[in-house]
Amino acid sequence: MTVSEYLKSMQTLHPEFADYWTAFEEYHNRRLWHQLTKKIEALVKTSGSNKIDLVTFYQKFVADFEGKLNPLSLVEIIVYIIKEMKKPEETLAFLAKMKEKVKANQNASLLCSILMAQLKLNSKDLEGVKQIINEIGPVIDEQTGITPVHGRYFQLSSEYNQLMANHDEYYRNALRFLGCVKMEDEPTSELERRAFALALAALLGDSIFNFGELLQHPIVNHLRNENAWLLDLLHAFNAGDLEKFEALKSKWVNQPDLAIRELQLRKKISLLCLMEMTFVSQDGVLTFEEIAKKTHIPQQEVELLIMKALSLGLVKGTIDEVEKKVFLLWVQPRVLNKQQITSLRNKLDNWSKDVRKMEILLEQKVQEIIG
């Protein structure tokens, strides 16, 4: 069956898409490959295109001139074709052949790999997914700017790490995915699910001590209503607020993932509390007694808390075991909320005043010496 014969048969089978069949024949005959590509993309994305046998559409029509199309656009069309394929093994084989065809185009090749990994993820071949992520991850990290494959890669990586209960990597990749998509294009139910998962990952991630980026992202608006307590809990951790953490216990203790990690959560919020104390301190000098009272831990455990914070790079300073004091001169940079910015401004104002006083004192001393 020739291309023309196939298109005529489709006119009969699916007259509702008559405009497409007519345009396809015209563009194909005139070899207007760019226009043809755009029209095919429009068809596969249009509502009701699943009524068409897209696999046969590819075999009888697209395959005839696929070498003429932009490789990345071709794979974008293939995204919709493979949705109609029933057997995962055949789909993987098809994508492997397609990857070979478009190997000269890096992004098209990467997208083929991502699609293959997504299929493996759906069939719970987690080792296969890990292998592909390890293979293409460094390539994507080296690319500058945001390409059409970044969003899909970050989505794949976040879904994989969520299944593996790797909270830190899920959190980072899920946030990067949100930076590649328009939230208004995402279903509300999906945004609510992702907001909940991100909040849990932020709380449970061993190396996540900066909540500001998440709290300032519009995604947290989807934690309102029945999950408002989770947003309050994020704010409590961000401020190192043990009192608020305790007040919310009746809520978070009913969430299984949080309840079974209560000890881990308490250690983490204690570290965040120490960071906040360091941040608001005027001179960075904190006594063990002050830290114990604020973090709700016995005074004999304060030194271990400080050493943990130092080892994680959350703060920098020295411990005076004799005087039971700690001198903290640096705290890990974070995305600040308005209250924290106000605190920082006040510290800068006080520092400026102290510098001015010292300047005036030096001027007076110089005058005394000269005089």
Side-chain angles (χ1 to χ4, degrees):
M1 181 184 290
T2 65
V3 166
S4 181
E5 289 172 339
Y6 170 74
L7 293 175
K8 282 183 172 58
S9 69
M10 295 303 287
Q11 286 273 13
T12 304
L13 285 172
H14 298 286
E16 67 272 28
F17 297 110
D19 290 346
Y20 285 98
W21 313 129
T22 301
F24 289 161
E25 185 163 20
E26 178 187 351
Y27 294 151
H28 183 268
N29 291 338
R30 295 174 61 188
R31 298 181 179 275
L32 299 174
W33 308 123
H34 176 72
Q35 291 86 337
L36 183 56
T37 302
K38 293 300 180 183
K39 198 67 176 177
I40 294 173
E41 286 181 323
L43 173 66
V44 296
K45 293 177 182 179
T46 194
S47 175
S49 64
N50 58 339
K51 298 175 184 177
I52 303 169
D53 184 345
L54 291 178
V55 177
T56 302
F57 173 70
Y58 166 78
Q59 294 169 342
K60 298 292 186 182
F61 183 56
V62 180
D64 181 71
F65 52 85
E66 63 184 9
K68 306 290 185 182
L69 306 184
N70 174 279
L72 182 57
S73 297
L74 173 61
V75 181
E76 291 285 4
I77 292 168
I78 295 303
V79 169
Y80 295 87
I81 304 297
I82 62 175
K83 289 179 181 179
E84 305 301 317
M85 295 182 175
K86 306 302 181 185
K87 298 180 179 179
E89 299 81 6
E90 293 180 2
T91 308
L92 283 170
F94 173 77
L95 286 170
K97 290 179 181 177
M98 184 56 62
K99 183 178 178 180
E100 181 64 25
K101 292 177 183 178
V102 300
K103 64 182 180 181
N105 184 292
Q106 187 182 68
N107 282 332
S109 178
L110 287 171
L111 183 51
C112 284
S113 294
I114 292 169
L115 295 173
M116 293 169 72
Q118 194 66 56
L119 280 170
K120 290 177 180 288
L121 188 67
N122 295 340
S123 60
K124 299 297 186 289
D125 178 9
L126 299 182
E127 188 59 37
V129 179
K130 179 182 178 181
Q131 185 177 352
I132 292 177
I133 287 177
N134 290 341
E135 174 190 331
I136 68 176
V139 179
I140 289 178
D141 287 340
E142 288 178 0
Q143 292 184 332
T144 56
I146 300 297
T147 72
V149 302
H150 276 78
R152 285 188 173 96
Y153 171 76
F154 294 139
Q155 182 178 26
L156 167 70
S157 187
S158 64
E159 290 176 353
Y160 166 75
N161 282 292
Q162 186 175 28
L163 282 175
M164 299 299 292
N166 189 338
H167 305 296
D168 301 76
E169 286 303 312
Y170 167 77
Y171 179 79
R172 294 188 184 95
N173 283 283
L175 277 180
R176 294 170 83 181
F177 167 69
L178 289 176
C180 298
V181 299
K182 295 180 180 178
M183 285 185 56
E184 56 269 24
D185 295 338
E186 298 289 313
T188 301
S189 59
E190 174 61 21
L191 291 173
E192 290 174 348
R193 183 197 68 79
R194 193 172 292 276
F196 188 85
L198 268 166
L200 288 185
L203 294 168
L204 297 173
D206 292 333
S207 64
I208 300 170
F209 290 91
N210 185 353
F211 293 74
E213 187 177 1
L214 175 59
L215 288 172
Q216 293 185 21
H217 197 285
I219 191 73
V220 297
N221 293 327
H222 294 275
L223 287 175
R224 307 292 178 184
N225 303 322
E226 68 270 17
N227 289 324
W229 64 270
L230 192 50
L231 180 56
D232 292 337
L233 189 60
L234 286 174
H235 281 292
F237 269 74
N238 189 56
D241 190 338
L242 271 296
E243 285 77 13
K244 193 170 185 179
F245 173 71
E246 296 292 355
L248 289 166
K249 184 173 181 177
S250 61
K251 296 288 186 180
W252 59 258
V253 77
N254 293 317
Q255 208 295 317
D257 291 320
L258 298 179
I260 63 174
R261 293 175 176 82
E262 179 176 350
L263 180 59
Q264 176 186 334
L265 291 173
R266 290 187 179 279
K267 289 180 179 179
K268 183 168 182 174
I269 197 170
S270 295
L271 287 167
L272 285 159
C273 181
L274 178 62
M275 290 175 69
E276 187 66 17
M277 290 180 72
T278 305
F279 180 76
V280 299
S281 172
Q282 292 297 320
D283 55 9
V285 180
L286 302 173
T287 66
F288 283 19
E289 184 180 357
E290 290 172 335
I291 297 172
K293 183 178 180 180
K294 195 74 174 177
T295 58
H296 297 188
I297 62 174
Q299 190 167 327
Q300 60 266 29
E301 295 180 13
V302 168
E303 188 172 357
L304 288 175
L305 177 70
I306 299 169
M307 291 174 65
K308 181 68 173 178
L310 290 169
S311 67
L312 290 173
L314 303 178
V315 295
K316 291 180 181 179
T318 56
I319 301 173
D320 187 332
E321 296 181 22
V322 177
E323 295 293 329
K324 300 295 181 182
K325 291 181 180 180
V326 60
F327 301 87
L328 300 174
L329 307 176
W330 178 91
V331 62
Q332 185 184 84
R334 295 177 291 165
V335 177
L336 307 179
N337 58 31
K338 291 182 180 179
Q339 184 178 351
Q340 289 168 327
I341 291 174
T342 300
S343 175
L344 179 60
R345 185 187 66 186
N346 292 337
K347 289 180 71 174
L348 289 172
D349 286 342
N350 291 333
W351 177 78
S352 180
K353 290 175 183 177
D354 289 341
V355 170
R356 181 55 185 160
K357 288 178 183 178
M358 183 59 68
E359 183 182 6
I360 293 171
L361 179 62
L362 288 174
E363 289 176 352
Q364 291 173 348
K365 294 296 182 182
V366 168
Q367 290 297 326
E368 291 176 4
I369 294 172
I370 294 175

